[in-house]
Short mmCIF file of all heavy atoms in Angstrom, two decimals:
data_model
loop_
_atom_site.label_atom_id
_atom_site.label_comp_id
_atom_site.label_asym_id
_atom_site.label_seq_id
_atom_site.Cartn_x
_atom_site.Cartn_y
_atom_site.Cartn_z
N HIS A 1 2.73 -8.62 6.75
CA HIS A 1 2.02 -8.83 5.49
C HIS A 1 0.77 -9.72 5.70
O HIS A 1 -0.08 -9.75 4.85
CB HIS A 1 2.97 -9.42 4.46
CG HIS A 1 3.41 -10.81 4.72
ND1 HIS A 1 4.38 -11.08 5.70
CD2 HIS A 1 3.02 -11.99 4.23
CE1 HIS A 1 4.54 -12.37 5.74
NE2 HIS A 1 3.76 -12.94 4.93
N GLU A 2 0.72 -10.37 6.83
CA GLU A 2 -0.44 -11.21 7.11
C GLU A 2 -1.63 -10.34 7.51
O GLU A 2 -2.81 -10.79 7.47
CB GLU A 2 -0.12 -12.22 8.19
CG GLU A 2 0.91 -13.21 7.81
CD GLU A 2 1.30 -14.15 8.93
OE1 GLU A 2 0.65 -14.16 9.99
OE2 GLU A 2 2.34 -14.83 8.76
N LEU A 3 -1.39 -9.12 7.87
CA LEU A 3 -2.46 -8.19 8.30
C LEU A 3 -2.90 -7.29 7.17
O LEU A 3 -3.94 -6.64 7.27
CB LEU A 3 -1.96 -7.32 9.44
CG LEU A 3 -1.48 -8.04 10.73
CD1 LEU A 3 -0.89 -7.07 11.67
CD2 LEU A 3 -2.64 -8.79 11.32
N CYS A 4 -2.12 -7.29 6.10
CA CYS A 4 -2.37 -6.29 5.00
C CYS A 4 -2.41 -7.06 3.68
O CYS A 4 -1.46 -7.70 3.29
CB CYS A 4 -1.21 -5.30 5.03
SG CYS A 4 -1.30 -4.07 3.73
N ALA A 5 -3.52 -6.95 2.97
CA ALA A 5 -3.68 -7.60 1.67
C ALA A 5 -3.22 -6.62 0.58
O ALA A 5 -3.77 -5.51 0.44
CB ALA A 5 -5.15 -8.00 1.46
N ASP A 6 -2.19 -7.01 -0.14
CA ASP A 6 -1.59 -6.16 -1.15
C ASP A 6 -2.60 -5.65 -2.15
O ASP A 6 -3.35 -6.43 -2.75
CB ASP A 6 -0.45 -6.89 -1.87
CG ASP A 6 0.29 -6.00 -2.82
OD1 ASP A 6 0.52 -4.81 -2.47
OD2 ASP A 6 0.73 -6.48 -3.92
N GLY A 7 -2.68 -4.35 -2.27
CA GLY A 7 -3.58 -3.73 -3.25
C GLY A 7 -5.01 -3.60 -2.73
O GLY A 7 -5.81 -2.95 -3.37
N LEU A 8 -5.27 -4.14 -1.59
CA LEU A 8 -6.65 -4.10 -1.04
C LEU A 8 -6.70 -3.28 0.21
O LEU A 8 -7.55 -2.33 0.32
CB LEU A 8 -7.18 -5.49 -0.76
CG LEU A 8 -7.33 -6.44 -1.98
CD1 LEU A 8 -7.74 -7.82 -1.53
CD2 LEU A 8 -8.34 -5.87 -2.94
N THR A 9 -5.89 -3.62 1.20
CA THR A 9 -5.89 -2.91 2.44
C THR A 9 -4.56 -2.17 2.75
O THR A 9 -4.36 -1.63 3.79
CB THR A 9 -6.22 -3.83 3.64
OG1 THR A 9 -5.22 -4.88 3.72
CG2 THR A 9 -7.59 -4.40 3.53
N GLY A 10 -3.69 -2.21 1.75
CA GLY A 10 -2.38 -1.58 1.83
C GLY A 10 -1.50 -2.05 0.70
O GLY A 10 -2.00 -2.74 -0.18
N LEU A 11 -0.25 -1.70 0.74
CA LEU A 11 0.71 -2.17 -0.29
C LEU A 11 1.79 -2.99 0.39
O LEU A 11 2.33 -2.60 1.43
CB LEU A 11 1.32 -1.00 -1.04
CG LEU A 11 0.32 -0.11 -1.81
CD1 LEU A 11 1.05 1.05 -2.48
CD2 LEU A 11 -0.46 -0.94 -2.83
N VAL A 12 2.05 -4.16 -0.20
CA VAL A 12 3.11 -5.07 0.34
C VAL A 12 4.24 -5.14 -0.64
O VAL A 12 4.01 -5.32 -1.81
CB VAL A 12 2.51 -6.48 0.58
CG1 VAL A 12 3.56 -7.40 1.09
CG2 VAL A 12 1.29 -6.43 1.51
N THR A 13 5.43 -4.96 -0.15
CA THR A 13 6.62 -5.02 -0.95
C THR A 13 7.51 -6.19 -0.53
O THR A 13 7.39 -6.66 0.60
CB THR A 13 7.42 -3.72 -0.98
OG1 THR A 13 7.93 -3.50 0.34
CG2 THR A 13 6.59 -2.55 -1.36
N LYS A 14 8.45 -6.58 -1.33
CA LYS A 14 9.42 -7.58 -0.96
C LYS A 14 10.34 -7.02 0.09
O LYS A 14 10.81 -5.92 0.03
CB LYS A 14 10.27 -7.98 -2.18
CG LYS A 14 9.52 -8.82 -3.14
CD LYS A 14 9.80 -10.27 -2.94
CE LYS A 14 9.11 -11.12 -3.97
NZ LYS A 14 8.50 -12.26 -3.38
N GLY A 15 10.68 -7.85 1.11
CA GLY A 15 11.62 -7.44 2.09
C GLY A 15 12.99 -7.17 1.46
O GLY A 15 13.39 -8.00 0.61
N GLY A 16 13.66 -6.15 1.85
CA GLY A 16 14.96 -5.83 1.31
C GLY A 16 14.97 -5.10 -0.03
O GLY A 16 16.01 -4.75 -0.57
N ASP A 17 13.77 -4.94 -0.60
CA ASP A 17 13.70 -4.25 -1.95
C ASP A 17 13.45 -2.80 -1.72
O ASP A 17 12.25 -2.31 -1.67
CB ASP A 17 12.52 -4.88 -2.73
CG ASP A 17 12.35 -4.27 -4.14
OD1 ASP A 17 13.16 -3.39 -4.52
OD2 ASP A 17 11.37 -4.65 -4.81
N ALA A 18 14.46 -1.97 -1.55
CA ALA A 18 14.36 -0.58 -1.31
C ALA A 18 13.64 0.17 -2.43
O ALA A 18 12.84 1.07 -2.18
CB ALA A 18 15.72 0.07 -1.10
N GLU A 19 13.87 -0.23 -3.66
CA GLU A 19 13.23 0.42 -4.83
C GLU A 19 11.74 0.10 -4.84
O GLU A 19 10.91 1.03 -5.09
CB GLU A 19 13.90 0.02 -6.11
CG GLU A 19 15.31 0.56 -6.32
CD GLU A 19 15.95 0.12 -7.61
OE1 GLU A 19 15.26 -0.48 -8.46
OE2 GLU A 19 17.17 0.31 -7.78
N GLY A 20 11.39 -1.06 -4.52
CA GLY A 20 9.96 -1.47 -4.47
C GLY A 20 9.24 -0.68 -3.35
O GLY A 20 8.10 -0.23 -3.49
N LEU A 21 9.93 -0.59 -2.19
CA LEU A 21 9.36 0.17 -1.08
C LEU A 21 9.17 1.60 -1.47
O LEU A 21 8.10 2.20 -1.19
CB LEU A 21 10.31 0.02 0.13
CG LEU A 21 9.85 0.70 1.41
CD1 LEU A 21 8.63 0.01 1.95
CD2 LEU A 21 10.98 0.63 2.44
N ALA A 22 10.16 2.18 -2.13
CA ALA A 22 10.07 3.61 -2.58
C ALA A 22 8.89 3.76 -3.54
O ALA A 22 8.17 4.76 -3.46
CB ALA A 22 11.38 4.05 -3.20
N ARG A 23 8.74 2.80 -4.46
CA ARG A 23 7.62 2.92 -5.44
C ARG A 23 6.25 2.88 -4.71
O ARG A 23 5.33 3.60 -5.07
CB ARG A 23 7.72 1.78 -6.43
CG ARG A 23 8.71 2.03 -7.60
CD ARG A 23 8.61 1.02 -8.70
NE ARG A 23 8.72 -0.40 -8.29
CZ ARG A 23 9.91 -0.97 -8.18
NH1 ARG A 23 11.02 -0.33 -8.45
NH2 ARG A 23 9.93 -2.26 -7.76
N ALA A 24 6.15 1.98 -3.72
CA ALA A 24 4.87 1.82 -3.03
C ALA A 24 4.59 3.15 -2.22
O ALA A 24 3.45 3.62 -2.23
CB ALA A 24 4.90 0.66 -2.06
N ILE A 25 5.59 3.68 -1.56
CA ILE A 25 5.40 4.93 -0.80
C ILE A 25 5.03 6.05 -1.77
O ILE A 25 4.10 6.78 -1.51
CB ILE A 25 6.68 5.28 0.00
CG1 ILE A 25 6.90 4.21 1.09
CG2 ILE A 25 6.57 6.69 0.61
CD1 ILE A 25 8.31 4.34 1.76
N THR A 26 5.71 6.12 -2.84
CA THR A 26 5.42 7.21 -3.85
C THR A 26 4.03 7.03 -4.41
O THR A 26 3.31 8.05 -4.57
CB THR A 26 6.47 7.15 -5.02
OG1 THR A 26 7.75 7.32 -4.44
CG2 THR A 26 6.21 8.18 -6.07
N ALA A 27 3.59 5.82 -4.65
CA ALA A 27 2.24 5.58 -5.13
C ALA A 27 1.20 6.15 -4.16
O ALA A 27 0.21 6.83 -4.59
CB ALA A 27 1.96 4.08 -5.41
N ILE A 28 1.37 5.90 -2.94
CA ILE A 28 0.42 6.40 -1.90
C ILE A 28 0.47 7.93 -1.82
O ILE A 28 -0.56 8.61 -1.68
CB ILE A 28 0.64 5.71 -0.55
CG1 ILE A 28 0.06 4.29 -0.65
CG2 ILE A 28 -0.02 6.47 0.58
CD1 ILE A 28 0.19 3.50 0.62
N LEU A 29 1.65 8.45 -1.87
CA LEU A 29 1.82 9.92 -1.72
C LEU A 29 1.35 10.69 -2.95
O LEU A 29 0.98 11.87 -2.83
CB LEU A 29 3.26 10.25 -1.46
CG LEU A 29 3.81 9.82 -0.09
CD1 LEU A 29 5.30 10.11 0.02
CD2 LEU A 29 3.04 10.49 1.01
N THR A 30 1.34 10.04 -4.10
CA THR A 30 0.98 10.78 -5.33
C THR A 30 -0.43 10.46 -5.90
O THR A 30 -0.89 11.16 -6.75
CB THR A 30 2.01 10.56 -6.46
OG1 THR A 30 2.09 9.12 -6.71
CG2 THR A 30 3.37 11.06 -6.03
N ASP A 31 -1.03 9.44 -5.39
CA ASP A 31 -2.35 9.00 -5.91
C ASP A 31 -3.33 9.03 -4.75
O ASP A 31 -3.54 8.08 -3.96
CB ASP A 31 -2.25 7.61 -6.44
CG ASP A 31 -3.53 7.13 -7.13
OD1 ASP A 31 -4.61 7.70 -6.85
OD2 ASP A 31 -3.45 6.19 -7.95
N GLY A 32 -4.00 10.19 -4.60
CA GLY A 32 -4.95 10.40 -3.48
C GLY A 32 -6.07 9.36 -3.46
O GLY A 32 -6.50 8.93 -2.38
N ALA A 33 -6.59 9.01 -4.66
CA ALA A 33 -7.65 8.05 -4.69
C ALA A 33 -7.22 6.70 -4.16
O ALA A 33 -7.88 6.03 -3.42
CB ALA A 33 -8.21 7.94 -6.10
N LEU A 34 -6.01 6.24 -4.55
CA LEU A 34 -5.49 5.01 -4.07
C LEU A 34 -5.29 5.05 -2.57
O LEU A 34 -5.70 4.14 -1.88
CB LEU A 34 -4.09 4.72 -4.75
CG LEU A 34 -3.31 3.51 -4.22
CD1 LEU A 34 -4.10 2.23 -4.55
CD2 LEU A 34 -1.93 3.48 -4.79
N ALA A 35 -4.71 6.15 -2.07
CA ALA A 35 -4.53 6.25 -0.63
C ALA A 35 -5.85 6.16 0.12
O ALA A 35 -5.94 5.48 1.12
CB ALA A 35 -3.73 7.54 -0.33
N ARG A 36 -6.85 6.90 -0.36
CA ARG A 36 -8.17 6.88 0.31
C ARG A 36 -8.78 5.54 0.26
O ARG A 36 -9.35 5.03 1.26
CB ARG A 36 -9.07 7.93 -0.33
CG ARG A 36 -8.79 9.32 0.08
CD ARG A 36 -9.88 10.32 -0.37
NE ARG A 36 -9.95 10.35 -1.87
CZ ARG A 36 -9.16 11.07 -2.66
NH1 ARG A 36 -8.22 11.80 -2.14
NH2 ARG A 36 -9.32 11.03 -3.99
N ASP A 37 -8.72 4.84 -0.89
CA ASP A 37 -9.37 3.55 -1.04
C ASP A 37 -8.66 2.51 -0.09
O ASP A 37 -9.36 1.71 0.53
CB ASP A 37 -9.28 3.05 -2.49
CG ASP A 37 -10.19 3.84 -3.41
OD1 ASP A 37 -11.06 4.60 -2.89
OD2 ASP A 37 -10.04 3.67 -4.66
N LEU A 38 -7.33 2.50 -0.12
CA LEU A 38 -6.60 1.57 0.74
C LEU A 38 -6.90 1.80 2.22
O LEU A 38 -7.15 0.89 3.01
CB LEU A 38 -5.13 1.66 0.53
CG LEU A 38 -4.58 1.18 -0.88
CD1 LEU A 38 -3.10 1.51 -0.97
CD2 LEU A 38 -4.83 -0.27 -1.05
N ALA A 39 -6.98 3.09 2.60
CA ALA A 39 -7.18 3.48 3.99
C ALA A 39 -8.60 3.03 4.42
O ALA A 39 -8.79 2.51 5.52
CB ALA A 39 -6.96 4.95 4.17
N ALA A 40 -9.60 3.29 3.60
CA ALA A 40 -10.93 2.95 3.92
C ALA A 40 -11.10 1.42 4.04
O ALA A 40 -11.76 0.92 4.95
CB ALA A 40 -11.92 3.49 2.88
N ALA A 41 -10.53 0.71 3.12
CA ALA A 41 -10.56 -0.76 3.15
C ALA A 41 -9.85 -1.31 4.38
O ALA A 41 -10.30 -2.31 5.00
CB ALA A 41 -10.01 -1.39 1.88
N ALA A 42 -8.74 -0.68 4.73
CA ALA A 42 -7.98 -1.12 5.92
C ALA A 42 -8.83 -0.97 7.15
O ALA A 42 -8.87 -1.89 8.00
CB ALA A 42 -6.71 -0.32 6.02
N ARG A 43 -9.53 0.12 7.27
CA ARG A 43 -10.37 0.35 8.44
C ARG A 43 -11.50 -0.69 8.49
O ARG A 43 -11.81 -1.23 9.56
CB ARG A 43 -10.97 1.76 8.39
CG ARG A 43 -12.03 2.08 9.44
CD ARG A 43 -11.47 1.99 10.88
NE ARG A 43 -12.50 2.21 11.86
CZ ARG A 43 -12.45 3.09 12.82
NH1 ARG A 43 -11.42 3.90 12.94
NH2 ARG A 43 -13.44 3.22 13.67
N ARG A 44 -12.15 -0.95 7.38
CA ARG A 44 -13.17 -1.94 7.34
C ARG A 44 -12.65 -3.29 7.77
O ARG A 44 -13.32 -4.06 8.48
CB ARG A 44 -13.85 -2.01 5.94
CG ARG A 44 -14.72 -0.81 5.62
CD ARG A 44 -15.54 -1.05 4.35
NE ARG A 44 -14.73 -1.31 3.20
CZ ARG A 44 -14.24 -0.37 2.36
NH1 ARG A 44 -14.46 0.93 2.62
NH2 ARG A 44 -13.50 -0.73 1.32
#
């Protein structure tokens, strides 16, 4: 999580929170604009 800023360069979830992890994965898989924005910011 020190390498990834939540909502800016990726999505950070609570450790051990399987539902939160699933929501974050689903968000990236279903929202192409979000995925592209996070990926581009991560590269920068």
